[in-house]
Amino acid sequence: MRKLILIGLGVVVAAGVGGGAYWMREPAPQPVGAGPAATLTLPDNLPLPPEMPRLADGADYDRCLSLLRDDPEEAMRFAQAWDATGGGDGARHCIALALLGLGEPDRAAERLERLGAASRAGGLARAAVFGQASQAWMMAGDPNRAFAAVTIALTLAPQDVELLVDRSVVLASMQRYRESIEDLDSALALEPERAEAWVLRAAALRHLERVDQAFVAVERALVLTPDNPEALLERGILRQLRGDVTGARNDWQRAIQIAPDSMAADLAAQNIQLNELGPQRR
């Protein structure tokens, strides 16, 4: 995902391929994430990655963005005081991001959309702000508004791979898997070695019951990143659907070993447990 704010790749990808415990008909339980729809579960707050879309320059802006990493409440106080003295786009941007850190994604999304529309910054910076608004709407549980925001972002930056991947996740959360694959195909045409896009493509293909094509996609991801826990989670699901219970378990155990504290590991552990319970618990 976009390295601006929120949603680590492991969380978004795991959520995209995970989503509730569904069961197959006999003879075996279906893995977590193999059901007809993906439930997107996002974190309560937003860690701030190192790079941000810059709508302003200067020490005050740098300080406010720095405060967001560790103390969103202090960042909010600083930004509000700065805004009262003419802080402009920089102060308003920091206020919106502080709202995200304080667990108010709907208010943050609205502010980010207004800022993206009104700012005099360049198109790429405004696109990034609309991308942030989209991610915030996803946190707020409103994929329709998330889709609208990221689509505006893509009108400003149509070849932005991050935004294409973002929109593919939004579309998948709406069960619009064919459109999700279209965005992923566009992203991969621009950046063919983007492993998380291959994993997301595999998950979308699986939801369309195109398991063989999904397997090719996830294998490509694992060639690019052999220790990718989300790819291992997804390949395990696909192996289970193909009847390879041992292979599935091996992939899930590997995902747990590589990233024991990740959502991918949690979902892998649930899948292993489902297999142990057996079809009588469906």
Side-chain angles (χ1 to χ4, degrees):
M1 296 296 291
R2 173 168 294 281
K3 294 180 181 177
L4 300 173
I5 57 169
L6 96 101
I7 308 182
L9 289 175
V11 173
V12 173
V13 175
V17 301
Y22 296 93
W23 293 87
M24 295 173 68
R25 294 183 177 87
E26 302 287 352
Q30 192 171 7
V32 173
T39 301
L40 191 62
T41 303
L42 300 179
D44 293 331
N45 55 26
L46 302 175
L48 189 67
E51 297 180 6
M52 298 285 293
R54 295 191 65 86
L55 296 183
D57 290 306
D60 285 340
Y61 192 51
D62 291 339
R63 173 164 171 73
C64 203
L65 296 183
S66 178
L67 284 170
L68 286 166
R69 301 178 190 279
D70 301 313
D71 193 345
E73 290 185 0
E74 179 60 25
M76 176 64 81
R77 286 191 290 269
F78 182 92
Q80 288 174 333
W82 182 28
D83 189 40
T85 58
D89 283 357
R92 287 188 285 273
H93 190 209
C94 197
I95 288 171
L97 297 180
L99 285 169
L100 285 172
L102 293 170
E104 299 188 57
D106 50 347
R107 292 180 60 200
E110 290 174 350
R111 283 177 173 267
L112 288 165
E113 284 185 336
R114 290 197 299 269
L115 182 58
S119 175
R120 295 183 180 179
L124 293 180
R126 291 174 59 223
V129 172
F130 276 109
Q132 291 179 324
S134 175
Q135 294 174 336
W137 282 125
M138 289 298 284
M139 286 194 68
D142 194 336
N144 289 308
R145 295 193 70 168
F147 176 78
V150 73
T151 298
I152 293 171
L154 280 164
T155 66
L156 295 167
Q159 291 193 310
D160 188 308
V161 173
E162 305 283 357
L163 291 171
L164 287 164
V165 173
D166 283 0
R167 190 167 69 175
S168 79
V169 172
V170 176
L171 287 163
S173 78
M174 301 165 74
Q175 301 181 45
R176 293 165 61 176
Y177 300 115
R178 288 181 175 82
E179 293 166 88
S180 177
I181 291 169
E182 289 175 3
D183 275 348
L184 291 167
D185 286 346
S186 296
L188 288 165
L190 294 165
E191 196 173 322
E193 296 190 354
R194 194 177 188 88
E196 74 270 21
W198 286 108
V199 180
L200 289 165
R201 193 176 192 276
L205 286 164
R206 170 171 52 76
H207 282 293
L208 294 173
E209 300 183 359
R210 293 157 60 181
V211 173
D212 290 343
Q213 292 177 53
F215 205 88
V216 171
V218 78
E219 289 277 73
R220 176 59 177 161
L222 285 164
V223 168
L224 295 168
T225 54
D227 288 336
N228 184 323
E230 290 78 30
L232 289 164
L233 171 68
E234 178 63 25
R235 189 173 68 177
I237 293 170
L238 293 166
R239 281 179 162 170
Q240 173 94 343
L241 293 174
R242 283 178 155 188
D244 181 4
V245 176
T246 300
R249 183 183 182 87
N250 289 340
D251 276 344
W252 294 331
Q253 288 177 330
R254 181 64 178 154
I256 294 167
Q257 179 184 10
I258 290 168
D261 297 325
S262 68
M263 185 178 290
D266 288 345
L267 294 173
Q270 290 179 51
N271 286 337
I272 291 170
Q273 186 177 25
L274 289 177
N275 274 353
E276 291 172 351
L277 290 173
Q280 69 273 15
R281 295 293 302 276
R282 70 184 184 279

